[in-house]
Amino acid sequence: GKCRTHDGIPEEGCPVTAAMRTLLITLALARAWQPQLPQTGNWTQLIEEELDRSLRVYERPANVDQAYRLAEQLLADPDRFVLILGDTLIADARLLFNKKGLHHLEFVKSTIERKGHANVLYNYEWNADGFRSEDQLVREGCATPFQLTRVKPRSWSLQKTAKPLPRFVIAKRHGYAQCGLLVPNCYFEDLKRWRHITKLIRGEARNRTFASRDDRAFWRGSIRTQPECADEMGNFARTQAVALSARHPALFDVRCLDCDVRDEATKPCDAYKFDEDTRKVIADDFAKLHAPHVGKQLFSRYKYQLNLPGSVSGSYSRNLNHLWSVGSVVMMWDAPFVEFYYPALSDETHVTVDIQNAAEKFSALRNDQQRQQKLLANAERVSQELLCPSCLESYWRKLIRRYRSYFRLDAVLDDRDTLRRLLAGLDVSKLKLVALDVSTKWKLVSPRFLTEPGQLQAIADAATVDPDATPAPARMWRERRAKKKKASETAADITDVKRRAAKKWLRGVTGCL
């Protein structure tokens, strides 16, 4: 009909007919977002249910002795353990000087500054996949109901008997079935800084009405070919999406900063073969799809924001952190990876696309104002209810509370004698421990190297209650209030106040003469 172009895509301004709406619903049902969970409760409830399910994957220590042995295992990995005692944050320099590790510690520091922190010990996995290697995932006993290609034969046999160690992960490349406890990704960084960033983005977004924005889907990022085919999923998706800008320039402004596209002739990947249309774009002149960097605050020039898998391995992309705040409709390229707040996401919060349906679904969306407004409202909700600074802090504290209780670490870390015995087992001379003393009052951080066992013992003593100490006698609060209560004013007091006020007024008048 007259409302379709030569390639069958509806033109801008064409009304959404009942048949088109039915087609959209059919497409959405047939190709639901891979990680989407049943939306059976409110957003917070869905996120907490997934957190509780993730905890139950691990065997719970039956008593304090088992919890103590778990703590010893956690401390045995200096590249990843984080220990918080009172207002002191302790980690090895190997984690501190890792970029992602440092960003995570900045996030934790900012939560301590706000309201203090419970004593806790955990391992932080900074890899975007949620694991160091596929072999490590299997070797440690994690269930793997997904395809893995880089596992040693012996590790498969170990998987049957090994008990996985709980780790905090920033994402799960293979979805919820992968073991790990999800935490906010490291690029939220310091909560004060995150508040400042979102404030700038929102301020810029408010200066542009939705109707005045560019009507194309927008993305900027890099394509960097990986050494192994198993890590090419992200670049495969990014190359397909960028090729859409050549095929449908009126719909997509999706371009690459670095355009290092894999050459299928010299480096074939059976799992990631480009479709014929994408091959034609690559063969033509893919470099012309290069574009310069665009600042986050300028993303609000566009009505639609496309999120693509990360370039390193195809897991999460930090780009999504701020896309919910720019006043645009969010579009997600279909992929299985998940982050901590994904249980709340669904087809009500974003549009899911892939190479087979992107042009058609997006064209119909551009002509469906009712759907646009619903997605805009829910994107704002994600920003305000799940990713605001206080929202991130709230989730973090819920996680810590559940984690301490489930693994009985509170019995180990809150008891002075047990904690001193645990820390005495650390060989400080072989580690590069750094303590960050965080001030909750002055918002200052004092870093220091821990080179003596006595320093750890002093931190342990300050973070726990001495069981032999005699508690100070309680003072009745009514007595304290009575002492502070101001005596009632007498007539003489009132007269004296009036006299002093008159003198002050007279000095002011004479000083002006």
Side-chain angles (χ1 to χ4, degrees):
K2 64 180 181 179
C3 271
R4 287 186 177 268
T5 62
H6 68 281
D7 55 2
I9 304 302
E11 292 180 345
E12 185 177 356
C14 293
V16 179
T17 64
M20 290 173 62
R21 194 177 294 278
T22 302
L23 175 62
L24 278 176
I25 295 173
T26 303
L27 283 170
L29 291 174
R31 295 183 177 276
W33 185 44
Q34 290 186 49
Q36 183 165 326
L37 296 178
Q39 301 293 293
T40 56
N42 63 53
W43 287 0
T44 302
Q45 179 183 350
L46 291 168
I47 293 172
E48 292 182 7
E49 286 176 354
E50 173 55 27
L51 173 58
D52 291 336
R53 187 206 63 78
S54 298
L55 281 166
R56 291 193 297 271
V57 167
Y58 301 97
E59 181 179 333
R60 190 184 188 201
N63 49 50
V64 177
D65 289 339
Q66 290 186 10
Y68 183 88
R69 286 194 289 273
L70 171 62
E72 287 182 315
Q73 289 179 282
L74 295 173
L75 285 174
D77 189 352
D79 291 321
R80 284 167 173 77
F81 85 73
V82 177
L83 177 62
I84 303 173
L85 297 176
D87 295 335
T88 301
L89 180 59
I90 303 171
D92 193 277
R94 281 166 279 194
L95 178 63
L96 189 65
F97 297 146
N98 175 294
K99 181 180 178 181
K100 290 183 178 179
L102 177 60
H103 288 331
H104 172 70
L105 295 178
E106 287 176 338
F107 171 83
V108 177
K109 174 191 72 69
S110 65
T111 65
I112 298 175
E113 287 176 342
R114 288 165 67 91
K115 295 180 182 178
H117 207 287
N119 294 342
V120 71
L121 168 65
Y122 61 89
N123 275 9
Y124 174 71
E125 181 52 67
W126 45 265
N127 278 294
D129 294 334
F131 51 83
R132 253 175 291 187
S133 68
E134 292 181 354
D135 187 75
Q136 173 250 334
L137 198 66
V138 173
R139 186 176 65 249
E140 293 188 350
C142 287
T144 52
F146 35 80
Q147 185 177 4
L148 299 176
T149 60
R150 294 170 289 186
V151 180
K152 298 175 183 177
R154 184 171 179 271
S155 297
W156 289 115
S157 59
L158 292 174
Q159 185 183 36
K160 300 174 183 177
T161 56
K163 296 179 181 179
L165 196 66
R167 286 191 173 91
F168 287 9
V169 299
I170 55 180
K172 297 181 181 181
R173 175 179 174 180
H174 297 289
Y176 297 114
Q178 184 179 315
C179 63
L181 304 173
L182 286 164
V183 299
N185 73 63
C186 53
Y187 293 104
F188 288 107
E189 301 181 44
D190 186 288
L191 290 175
K192 291 180 292 185
R193 185 171 182 271
W194 177 241
R195 179 182 290 106
H196 177 67
I197 290 173
T198 52
K199 184 178 180 180
L200 291 177
I201 293 172
R202 288 180 180 282
E204 192 67 30
R206 282 193 293 268
N207 293 332
R208 295 184 175 92
T209 63
F210 186 75
S212 66
R213 301 184 183 193
D214 193 313
D215 206 24
R216 294 173 295 170
F218 173 81
W219 179 84
R220 289 290 185 275
S222 295
I223 300 173
R224 301 187 182 99
T225 299
Q226 297 301 306
E228 299 184 45
C229 281
D231 293 327
E232 269 292 285
M233 193 272 278
N235 289 309
F236 178 70
R238 290 182 173 209
T239 303
Q240 289 180 316
V242 170
L244 288 172
S245 290
R247 294 165 54 193
H248 307 289
L251 297 179
F252 299 96
D253 184 5
V254 178
R255 297 175 179 273
C256 44
L257 307 178
D258 296 320
C259 304
D260 179 20
V261 178
R262 174 171 52 88
D263 185 350
E264 285 193 316
T266 59
K267 191 177 181 181
C269 289
D270 292 338
Y272 304 114
K273 293 182 177 180
F274 294 118
D275 59 282
E276 191 59 35
D277 291 329
T278 301
R279 284 198 192 99
K280 290 179 181 178
V281 175
I282 295 173
D284 181 20
D285 185 7
F286 200 84
K288 67 184 181 182
L289 295 174
H290 166 81
H293 173 75
V294 176
K296 294 178 178 63
Q297 68 276 15
L298 300 180
F299 280 29
S300 59
R301 293 175 177 176
Y302 293 82
K303 289 183 179 181
Y304 309 95
Q305 306 291 334
L306 178 62
N307 182 63
L308 294 168
S311 64
V312 175
S313 64
S315 185
Y316 85 103
S317 171
R318 58 177 165 175
N319 192 47
L320 184 60
N321 287 6
H322 66 275
L323 293 188
W324 305 101
S325 303
V326 299
S328 303
V329 173
V330 175
M331 301 169 63
M332 301 272 276
W333 196 269
D334 201 13
F337 63 84
V338 294
E339 295 186 69
F340 85 93
Y341 64 100
Y342 279 27
L345 303 186
S346 68
D347 290 330
E348 299 295 310
T349 56
H350 63 272
V351 178
T352 305
V353 298
D354 58 30
I355 190 60
Q356 297 177 349
N357 61 28
E360 189 167 8
K361 289 182 73 171
F362 180 44
S363 298
L365 173 65
R366 294 208 308 176
N367 295 293
D368 190 344
Q369 293 187 1
Q370 181 181 351
R371 174 88 169 131
Q372 292 170 13
Q373 293 305 313
K374 186 172 185 178
L375 291 167
L376 285 171
N378 284 330
E380 177 66 12
R381 280 191 61 201
V382 171
S383 174
Q384 295 281 26
E385 298 178 22
L386 302 180
L387 301 183
C388 68
S390 60
C391 308
L392 297 174
E393 181 187 8
S394 175
Y395 173 80
W396 174 258
R397 293 189 185 279
K398 288 175 184 175
L399 166 63
I400 295 299
R401 187 163 56 249
R402 283 168 161 82
Y403 172 79
R404 274 169 40 95
S405 174
Y406 186 84
F407 293 107
R408 304 185 192 277
L409 290 174
D410 48 352
V412 176
L413 302 176
D414 293 348
D415 180 77
R416 176 170 292 186
D417 291 338
T418 307
L419 179 58
R420 287 175 66 93
R421 180 161 53 94
L422 175 68
L423 297 180
L426 280 177
D427 189 347
V428 179
S429 63
K430 295 182 179 179
L431 300 171
K432 300 177 182 179
L433 295 182
V434 179
L436 304 177
D437 298 312
V438 183
S439 169
T440 57
K441 181 177 182 181
W442 303 110
K443 305 296 185 290
L444 298 175
V445 178
S446 301
R448 55 194 169 105
F449 282 96
L450 302 179
T451 57
E452 300 291 338
Q455 293 175 290
L456 278 174
Q457 301 296 338
I459 294 173
D461 291 347
T464 53
V465 177
D466 184 357
D468 299 325
T470 303
R475 295 176 60 189
M476 297 298 293
W477 67 273
R478 289 183 182 277
E479 293 179 6
R480 293 201 304 270
R481 289 193 63 180
K483 290 180 180 180
K484 293 182 179 180
K485 187 175 179 181
K486 187 177 179 180
S488 57
E489 292 183 323
T490 63
D493 294 331
I494 296 173
T495 302
D496 185 57
V497 169
K498 290 181 178 180
R499 184 171 59 254
R500 283 187 277 110
K503 286 183 177 179
K504 184 176 181 180
W505 174 83
L506 183 60
R507 285 197 300 270
V509 172
T510 55
C512 293
L513 296 178

